[in-house]
């Protein structure tokens, strides 16, 4: 048995991309995150200390976006996943990062990372 928390469609402004025109101004990334918790205590205890505070994860992602020097979503996503697994009681996670309207024939493009300890 495992329990999970998730964040859906978090909008994060960032400067990222391969072509110069894409890095000329900040663009929005759309982030979905699903975290499997190491323990299930919070589902019985009703204690925030037994789970992961969503706002802490969001603050981390926004900080990494503000400090970002990467051009690829892949390396930016890896930083997010690594930081979460190192600093929070997460067993594993799935992270989806999307960019909107970067390719003319697609609404979104992006990456999905699955990581575990």
């Amino acid at each position: 048995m495992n329990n999970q928390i998730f964040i859906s469609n978090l909008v994060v402004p960032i400067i990222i991309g391969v072509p110069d025109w894409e890095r000329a101004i900040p663009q929005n990334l759309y982030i979905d995150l699903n975290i499997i918790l190491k323990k299930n205590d919070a589902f019985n205890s009703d204690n925030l200390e037994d789970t992961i505070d969503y706002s802490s994860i969001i603050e981390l992602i926004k900080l990494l976006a503000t400090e970002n020097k990467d051009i690829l979503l892949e390396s930016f996503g890896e930083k997010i996943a690594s930081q979460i697994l190192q600093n929070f009681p997460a067993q594993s996670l799935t992270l989806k990062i999307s960019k909107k309207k970067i390719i003319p024939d697609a609404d979104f493009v992006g990456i999905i990372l699955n990581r575990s300890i």
Side-chain angles (χ1 to χ4, degrees), residues 30-34 94-98 108 110-113:
Y30 301 85
I31 297 178
D32 296 312
L33 179 62
N34 191 56
T94 299
L95 172 66
K96 178 181 174 186
I97 304 177
S98 304
F108 290 91
I111 60 163
I112 297 175
L113 288 87

Side-chain angles (χ1 to χ4, degrees), residues 15-24 27 68 70-75 99 102:
I15 294 179
I16 197 166
V18 175
D20 290 338
W21 64 263
E22 199 176 350
R23 289 189 315 277
Q27 61 183 293
N68 182 57
D70 296 311
I71 60 170
L72 297 178
L73 290 180
E74 290 84 346
S75 52
K99 290 181 178 184
I102 298 301

Side-chain angles (χ1 to χ4, degrees), residues 7-76:
I7 298 169
S8 179
N9 206 29
L10 175 65
V11 180
V12 178
I14 191 171
I15 294 179
I16 197 166
V18 175
D20 290 338
W21 64 263
E22 199 176 350
R23 289 189 315 277
I25 59 170
Q27 61 183 293
N28 287 330
L29 296 183
Y30 301 85
I31 297 178
D32 296 312
L33 179 62
N34 191 56
I35 301 172
I36 296 177
L37 301 171
K38 280 187 179 177
K39 53 186 182 173
N40 297 312
D41 297 346
F43 291 86
N44 295 315
S45 72
D46 197 33
N47 186 344
L48 182 59
E49 292 177 12
D50 290 332
T51 190
I52 297 174
D53 183 355
Y54 308 107
S55 64
S56 297
I57 297 290
I58 291 169
E59 286 176 28
L60 170 66
I61 293 170
K62 287 182 176 182
L63 176 65
L64 291 172
T66 301
E67 297 174 346
N68 182 57
K69 302 292 183 212
D70 296 311
I71 60 170
L72 297 178
L73 290 180
E74 290 84 346
S75 52
F76 179 65

